[in-house]
Amino acid sequence: MTRHAVLAGIGSTLPERVVTNEMLAQRIDTSDEWIRSRTGIVERRLVEQGTATSDLAVEAGRRALKSAALDRVDAVVLATTTPDHPCPATAPTVASRLGLGTVAAHDVSAVCSGFLYGLATGAGLIAIDQAETLLVIGAEAFSTIIDPDDRGTAPIFGDGAGAVVLRAGRRDEPGALLGMELGSDGELADAIIVPGGGSRQRTSGHPPAPGDQFMKMQGQTVFRNAIVRMTQSCHAVLDRTGWPVETVGLLVGHQANVRILNAVAEDLGLPAERAFVNLDRYGNTAAASIPLALADAAASGAVRAGDRVLLTAFGGGASWGAATLTWPAVDPS
Ligand code: UT7
């Protein structure tokens, strides 16, 4: 019988530094009104000098372990776009700093869909008996790849981390990952890209151009594709799970733009109130966005034990996905 992955704990953390829209407008040609009305974002948290992704990942992991009442797990999967170093992966450092010794640990790179790909990886490690329990962490010091003078990206992104504990269990338990739908389209690779620092640039015979260490985004292309792909993957995963859409208690979409979340809810036929929103406070935290949203939703009572939860994300790659689970009785930490 297949061993199922069951969500058994959740935790999150954010940098303390708050950057408001007004603060951004002092540096770049933008306004609080434009950012609020075009994205829904009011403020975001950015790391202080000296804080790297692993620092956030360790704290979120520690809190998720506490929420699950565990002090050990058998593996760590870290979804991030901003590893501490291009090489090696950051997850082994996180595992060590959490006192987990020599457990399996690796990074998953799927930008804003990274946490869903991480859940799939974690479920696979459980299914093949590599792990009885594990951490899936989404953590980003995303501001480290953002050009602070680019008004197309600087208002959008923020930093933070969220983590869940998965344990081996049964499909009919609350918290079991019931369905998953993942996809990608490399034709859209340029829509969200850091041009410099990889083998493509290093074998070009040219040094990186100024600014090529920063992410470039084709906002409108991403916006259009995000709505289509998130809606399609939600339909596919609902079909696979056997849930009529109206039974979904909470849609937890990747927190990029409230207009995207509203459009996906509308296309699915869900009232806007069922789409969880916390991007007003944190902006788009890429791989951290879904676990941060889940932790907030659980803490605020927006999701309760027994509710049907639909997760969906779209991001660089392009990559996207959706997943279903019934919310378990867990207290976020
Ligand atoms: O995490 C991965 C997924 N990422 C996303 O989902 C992001 C998806 N994209 C978006 O959310 C939106 O495309 C943005 C929020 C990034 C941009 O919003 P938009 O409505 O697509 O704006 P736009 O680029 O079409 O620009 C509209 C206008 C332009 O002015 P004109 O040409 O109409 O006069 C821009 O120059 O808004 C102007 N503009 C700004 N004005 C003030 C663009 N950025 C800004 C800004 N402040 N920051």
Side-chain angles (χ1 to χ4, degrees), residues 28-31 34-35 38-39 112 151-152 155-157 192 217-220 222-223 226 254 256-257 259-260 284 286 314-316:
I28 52 179
D29 180 17
T30 190
S31 65
W34 190 94
I35 301 170
R38 302 308 291 166
T39 70
C112 301
R151 71 175 186 166
I156 315 295
F157 291 93
I192 291 177
M217 179 169 75
Q218 297 167 16
Q220 287 190 6
V222 175
F223 188 98
H254 168 52
N257 188 318
R259 293 187 292 137
I260 295 177
N284 178 347
F314 179 91

Side-chain angles (χ1 to χ4, degrees), residues 25-97:
Q26 285 165 17
R27 177 172 181 146
I28 52 179
D29 180 17
T30 190
S31 65
D32 176 50
E33 200 284 326
W34 190 94
I35 301 170
R36 270 180 207 249
S37 62
R38 302 308 291 166
T39 70
I41 299 165
V42 177
E43 59 187 39
R44 72 285 298 140
R45 304 293 191 93
L46 301 189
V47 288
E48 303 283 351
Q49 204 171 354
T51 300
T53 293
S54 65
D55 302 318
L56 298 172
V58 166
E59 187 54 31
R62 202 187 313 280
R63 292 181 187 195
L65 288 172
K66 184 171 171 228
S67 161
L70 291 175
D71 51 20
R72 291 201 54 77
V73 285
D74 307 323
V76 173
V77 178
L78 173 64
T80 187
T81 320
T82 51
D84 287 7
H85 306 279
C87 171
T90 303
T93 297
V94 173
S96 269
R97 287 177 57 190

Side-chain angles (χ1 to χ4, degrees), residues 119-328:
L119 283 182
T121 307
L125 291 172
I126 286 173
I128 62 165
D129 248 345
Q130 168 69 33
E132 203 64 34
T133 56
L134 57 84
L135 273 168
V136 180
I137 307 174
E140 301 281 13
F142 210 89
S143 56
T144 59
I145 56 166
I146 292 297
D147 177 353
D149 293 320
D150 176 7
R151 71 175 186 166
T153 54
I156 315 295
F157 291 93
D159 303 331
V164 298
V165 170
L166 298 180
R167 64 168 171 80
R170 298 187 321 271
R171 186 183 162 79
D172 60 1
E173 290 182 71
L177 287 177
L178 296 174
M180 184 148 274
E181 177 73 23
L182 300 170
S184 77
D185 181 0
E187 297 285 325
L188 291 174
D190 287 346
I192 291 177
I193 192 166
V194 178
S199 59
R200 180 64 65 204
Q201 175 259 307
R202 289 198 297 271
T203 55
S204 69
H206 304 289
D212 273 3
Q213 76 274 32
F214 294 128
M215 196 201 73
K216 325 281 176 202
M217 179 169 75
Q218 297 167 16
Q220 287 190 6
T221 302
V222 175
F223 188 98
R224 281 196 310 275
N225 280 277
I227 295 169
V228 171
R229 293 304 188 180
M230 286 162 85
T231 306
Q232 282 174 350
S233 54
C234 283
H235 277 306
V237 82
L238 288 171
D239 277 355
R240 189 172 296 180
T241 311
W243 285 357
V245 66
E246 64 276 11
T247 68
V248 169
L250 196 66
L251 170 67
V252 180
H254 168 52
Q255 303 286 307
N257 188 318
V258 74
R259 293 187 292 137
I260 295 177
L261 295 174
N262 287 341
V264 171
E266 189 180 333
D267 289 355
L268 288 171
L270 283 173
E273 313 81 74
R274 280 201 231 161
F276 186 75
V277 178
N278 68 354
L279 60 82
D280 51 326
R281 285 170 292 144
Y282 310 145
N284 178 347
T285 57
S289 134
I290 287 187
L292 270 172
L294 280 173
D296 264 17
S300 68
V303 67
R304 292 177 196 280
D307 287 350
R308 289 183 168 187
V309 179
L310 173 60
L311 312 178
T312 188
F314 179 91
S319 61
W320 58 84
T324 47
L325 76 160
T326 303
W327 195 248

